Amino acid sequence: MQLDDTDRRLLNALQRRGRLSNAELSEAVNLSPSACHRRVQRLEKDGYISGYVALVDPRKVNRRTIVYVEITLSAQADEVLDAFEKAVARVPEVLECHLMAGAADYLLKVVAEDAEDFARLHRRALASLPGVQGMQSSFALRTVRQTTALPI
């Protein structure tokens, strides 16, 4: 399916405010409510919209510290990569895990209460992940820009 301008307007509006009612959304993109509903259903069915979430303020749940961790593995064998990926998926403080090209094998985005909490997480969870040979951690000092909206 090819996206047209109306689909793009729908996706942009939903990325900014995912809780818009169908009536509000149809008004925002200048469509009838029934046509708007059909298009959103098609965008969901075709996988353009993969889900809806509530974005929780990390400060309100005491997860103020963001740490980016570069992981180097001991080997690149499929079984080492698979074991690492399965294990890291079970660490709830890891919000993102990316297989990388370059010096590090993986880049993780981790949240913690503070530096002491991250030190505990580093020792108990991250250092014991399968195949980990080295880690380099960088603490975010301030978030300048953060969005979940993709340019469409």
Side-chain angles (χ1 to χ4, degrees):
M1 174 184 120
Q2 196 73 3
L3 292 178
D4 63 17
D5 287 339
T6 302
D7 293 327
R8 286 183 180 82
R9 288 195 318 270
L10 284 166
L11 291 171
N12 282 322
L14 287 170
Q15 284 188 108
R16 283 190 310 276
R17 292 186 49 221
R19 290 190 68 182
L20 284 173
S21 70
N22 187 62
E24 292 168 323
L25 182 59
S26 67
E27 187 175 316
V29 299
N30 207 19
L31 269 182
S32 72
S34 59
C36 181
H37 182 70
R38 280 192 306 275
R39 279 187 179 249
V40 170
Q41 283 185 316
R42 183 178 41 103
L43 289 167
E44 291 170 348
K45 178 181 153 292
D46 291 346
Y48 286 94
I49 298 172
S50 60
Y52 297 90
V53 300
L55 300 175
V56 176
D57 184 337
R59 296 168 298 180
K60 298 288 187 182
V61 294
N62 201 22
R63 294 292 183 270
R64 297 175 185 270
T65 303
I66 299 171
V67 186
Y68 293 91
V69 183
E70 293 178 338
I71 302 279
T72 305
L73 297 181
S74 58
Q76 295 290 311
D78 283 344
E79 56 273 2
V80 175
L81 298 174
D82 291 343
F84 174 83
E85 291 175 8
K86 285 180 182 143
V88 78
R90 293 190 300 267
V91 181
E93 293 87 354
V94 175
L95 299 184
E96 298 178 21
C97 175
H98 305 274
L99 178 62
M100 304 297 289
D105 294 312
Y106 288 92
L107 177 65
L108 310 181
K109 180 179 179 182
V110 179
V111 291
E113 293 176 17
D114 52 27
E116 185 178 314
D117 184 45
F118 177 72
R120 176 200 55 78
L121 180 64
H122 183 281
R123 248 186 350 271
R124 293 185 183 161
L126 301 179
S128 64
L129 290 169
V132 171
Q133 178 179 336
M135 286 189 284
Q136 169 102 19
S137 302
S138 299
F139 284 73
L141 299 177
R142 178 169 42 114
T143 299
V144 176
R145 183 174 194 276
Q146 179 176 336
T147 183
T148 60
L150 296 172
I152 300 174

